[in-house]
Amino acid sequence: SYELTQPPSLSVSPGQTATITCSGHNLGDNYVCWYQQRPGQSPILVIYQNNRRPSGIPERFSGSSSGNTATLTISGTQALDESDYYCQAWDGLTSGVFGGGTKLTVL
Amino acid sequence: EVQLVQSGAEVKKPGESLKISCKGSGYNVADHWIAWVRQMPGKGLEWMGMIYPADSDTRYIPSFQGQVTISADRSTSTAYLQWSSLKASDTAMYYCARRGFYGGHSFAFDFWGQGTMVTVSS
């Protein structure tokens, strides 16, 4: 089965840039989405189609994908960005897969 | 406004059956796949499977095939996730999510339910 690998954790200081990676075999051939999940809340979509932001998502969130790696970048990280972040892709058209998640700490 | 509203928390004993629900509104529920996602305590998201309410076409990942049943009632815009015999290891938060279509092979879980906590304990 298809697997996506993320670093378990990342710490940044407020105002810095947070870069979260997601790796998978030939991931660049796939569209990647990113989800933010704050503690005790449902996930929300922050990036789809590798680099597109849904309405209402701040411009400081951006995404890219190439080769075997997709990247979520949060510029000017704020305290409210402290969350778990999950990448997601498709194994075929009807089988989804999530990465293991990255806990972002802003301190 | 697109909404997915899930049924309330459940506390069950091992061996009992359970069916939880996810009711969509604010969009044409029939023509968007609805997925179910498990999150065990302190763990990550796991995609379980999904259903196309228009014709009840259903897909599962192998690890959940035969363990749960996903169904839908098009007339009430509701998707369901059910177990015939719960185990303690089924204790988790379960989310439903709409799969939005963004052209070509671009899909995303763009709207999520609030989650249903299922606790299985003797």
Side-chain angles (χ1 to χ4, degrees):
Chain A
S1 62
Y2 197 61
E3 291 187 3
L4 298 177
T5 301
Q6 299 179 235
S9 62
L10 175 68
S11 295
V12 297
S13 299
Q16 284 192 328
T17 296
T19 302
I20 300 173
T21 59
C22 172
S23 61
H25 181 65
N26 289 336
L27 187 56
D29 294 340
N30 211 326
Y31 283 130
V32 177
C33 300
W34 290 92
Y35 303 87
Q36 176 193 62
Q37 186 180 33
R38 294 192 173 102
Q41 296 188 18
S42 301
I44 62 170
L45 177 69
V46 294
I47 293 289
Y48 69 97
Q49 203 168 312
N50 296 334
N51 55 19
R52 295 185 177 271
R53 277 179 292 105
S55 62
I57 301 301
E59 289 185 12
R60 65 178 181 275
F61 287 86
S62 63
S64 63
S65 182
S66 179
N68 294 326
T69 303
T71 301
L72 173 69
T73 302
I74 309 172
S75 304
T77 305
Q78 301 180 9
L80 58 81
D81 298 329
E82 188 164 285
S83 302
D84 293 327
Y85 291 87
Y86 296 89
C87 61
Q88 180 260 316
W90 293 93
D91 184 7
L93 291 180
T94 55
S95 183
V97 59
F98 289 97
T102 298
K103 182 177 182 62
L104 176 65
T105 301
V106 183
L107 41 67
Chain B
E1 179 193 7
V2 174
Q3 283 193 311
L4 295 173
V5 179
Q6 298 185 229
S7 49
E10 301 274 1
V11 179
K12 293 288 189 178
K13 290 181 167 39
E16 291 186 332
S17 62
L18 176 65
K19 191 173 188 178
I20 63 175
S21 65
C22 168
K23 183 175 176 60
S25 62
Y27 72 102
N28 188 350
V29 175
D31 66 5
H32 287 75
W33 290 82
I34 293 179
W36 287 96
V37 177
R38 183 175 78 173
Q39 188 168 39
M40 300 176 78
K43 302 298 184 181
L45 304 174
E46 298 175 88
W47 191 89
M48 302 172 68
M50 62 183 187
I51 190 164
Y52 191 65
D55 60 8
S56 290
D57 186 7
T58 310
R59 311 296 171 92
Y60 301 88
I61 63 167
S63 56
F64 287 101
Q65 182 88 46
Q67 306 305 306
V68 297
T69 301
I70 295 172
S71 60
D73 182 341
R74 181 178 177 174
S75 68
T76 60
S77 300
T78 303
Y80 300 94
L81 178 66
Q82 69 179 94
W83 296 258
S84 58
S85 180
L86 286 159
K87 303 184 282 289
S89 57
D90 292 318
T91 294
M93 180 72 82
Y94 292 88
Y95 294 102
C96 63
R98 186 187 87 158
R99 191 178 85 157
F101 174 61
Y102 292 90
H105 290 173
S106 179
F107 306 97
F109 297 125
D110 51 5
F111 292 92
W112 293 68
Q114 82 276 22
T116 297
M117 183 67 207
V118 174
T119 303
V120 184
S121 174
S122 54

